[in-house]
Amino acid sequence: MAGAEALFQLMLQRRAAAAFDTALFATTAADTDRVAGLLHGLTPIDTLADLAVALEALAGALADAGGSGQIIIATDPKTAATVQLRHPLLAWPVLASLHIPAGRIVAIDPTGLVFGTGGDLDITTTIAAILHMSDEPVEIVSDVAAVADPVREIFQTDGIALRLLVDLAFSARPGAVQYMDGGQW
């Protein structure tokens, strides 16, 4: 099929971007498989009813933490649209992510962030692999009588499996990220 490879590559890149957003804006701690989310260990700023006052509070918190005066706002799509409609002259970039909870606004001082990557996306394909097709898989073989389902052999189903790997790390200096939860603007 002409164009199928490009379509699948685009789909994988979008899934990778979604996974990155989810990890970046997470409140979870680091473990053996991932770095801590930028919001891990942070206490959210008290939610304010007025959007302009909320943005001022976030900017003030960044400034109080030694910020550079540069600010990027990241939030859910609805809140991003609200910010842009109510404040069309806002000089800060407003980024939207489907992977930020509704009503959460994250303010970032970009000079306080560091990102590192191991290079290009490593996308591989195979026609011979066993896949455990579950978001919460159990061991396929264990000493207890557990059924690990659904498990599929790609060769037997005449399929193609794709895998995407990329090494990525990020961190922020203390105070370079502030956030507010639960806004209803």
Side-chain angles (χ1 to χ4, degrees), residues 54-166:
L55 293 172
E56 288 175 23
L58 288 163
L62 287 174
D64 291 346
S68 68
Q70 298 177 49
I71 300 172
I72 296 172
I73 297 295
T75 188
D76 64 277
K78 182 179 177 183
T79 304
T82 301
V83 169
Q84 292 169 334
L85 287 170
R86 291 190 187 171
H87 304 284
L89 300 178
L90 185 66
W92 312 330
V94 179
L95 308 176
S97 173
L98 293 171
H99 305 283
I100 296 177
R104 175 176 287 172
I105 298 178
V106 182
I108 303 164
D109 179 348
T111 66
L113 293 181
V114 64
F115 291 89
T117 180
D120 294 334
L121 298 177
D122 177 14
I123 300 174
T124 57
T125 62
T126 185
I127 60 169
I130 296 175
L131 298 180
H132 198 323
M133 301 176 77
S134 172
D135 290 339
E136 298 177 16
V138 295
E139 289 186 48
I140 293 176
V141 178
S142 67
D143 55 349
V144 295
V147 176
D149 192 50
V151 175
R152 301 292 179 261
E153 196 341 294
I154 297 301
F155 180 77
Q156 291 176 335
T157 58
D158 195 25
I160 299 172
L162 295 115
R163 179 181 75 168
L164 179 143
L165 295 174
V166 63

Side-chain angles (χ1 to χ4, degrees), residues 21-85:
D21 276 7
T22 300
L24 184 67
F25 298 112
T27 58
T28 54
D31 62 23
T32 58
D33 294 326
R34 63 180 162 249
V35 298
L38 290 179
L39 307 182
H40 174 68
L42 300 182
T43 302
I45 294 173
D46 292 335
T47 303
L48 301 166
D50 182 85
L51 182 57
V53 175
L55 293 172
E56 288 175 23
L58 288 163
L62 287 174
D64 291 346
S68 68
Q70 298 177 49
I71 300 172
I72 296 172
I73 297 295
T75 188
D76 64 277
K78 182 179 177 183
T79 304
T82 301
V83 169
Q84 292 169 334
L85 287 170

